[in-house]
Amino acid sequence: MNKITLLLIIFFTSIHLLSAQNFEGVIEMHQVTTNGLEYDLKWYIKGDKIAYELSSASSRGVQMRFVPLKSSNSMLMISGNTKTEIPSEKITTPVGFSMEDAKLEEKGSSSNSDFKRIQEWQITTAEMTARVEVTTDIGVNFAEYKQFFKSDYGLCALAESGKAGFPLNITIQDKQGNVLAKTTLKKVTRMPIADSYFK
């Protein structure tokens, strides 16, 4: 009887873990930077594939899609019918951006109508403090993509932590409390994503 109970627990746990890692859909976000620029971000997630589109009304409707290509260690940039591969070593870190001596603290957990498990993190460096909400319902391992995201404190912290998850809301402040950037979750749509979004 105990063996059957143990097997059932393992079976249901593995189903739960697999369902958490099988998120497929679109996550829409809005980002505002300290210099007043506003962007809409649209993430496409399918299994272990990710891509995101960046658009800005202030740049006359310009829209670009970026696809990290682990196989060639490059970032595919798609604008209209033009595709360009950028080697990851050419993706640089902005001046003043550093994760050196960063401290990551877990500040609690919550849930919402879209995700059952959301962790609240605070990342502190010599230059800034970032508050990040991360859902572990989406099992993206950003440690595998860290060479592509060298200027996002939330994604860098997620990569450094080695934990699978996806950042939802991010607020970055300097040491004086001024907001440097704020990314806000707008919409989550679970839907099939065509493979064409990732190439």
Side-chain angles (χ1 to χ4, degrees), residues 2 5 13 42 59 62 74 76 86 107-108 119 135 141 149 151 162 165 183:
N2 287 339
T5 304
T13 302
K42 192 179 279 191
S59 57
V62 172
S74 61
L76 179 62
I86 304 164
K107 292 291 192 178
Q119 294 179 341
T135 180
N141 185 352
F149 300 102
S151 62
T183 305

Side-chain angles (χ1 to χ4, degrees), residues 73-102:
N73 200 25
S74 61
M75 179 73 88
L76 179 62
M77 182 176 71
I78 304 162
S79 180
N81 293 326
T82 305
K83 294 183 178 185
T84 308
E85 275 194 45
I86 304 164
S88 67
E89 54 272 5
K90 294 206 174 179
I91 301 170
T92 57
T93 304
V95 175
F97 184 96
S98 174
M99 288 295 287
E100 189 175 332
D101 298 325

Side-chain angles (χ1 to χ4, degrees), residues 160-174:
E160 293 297 325
S161 75
K163 298 176 182 178
F166 191 85
L168 302 173
N169 294 301
I170 303 170
T171 302
I172 301 169
Q173 295 177 297
D174 64 17

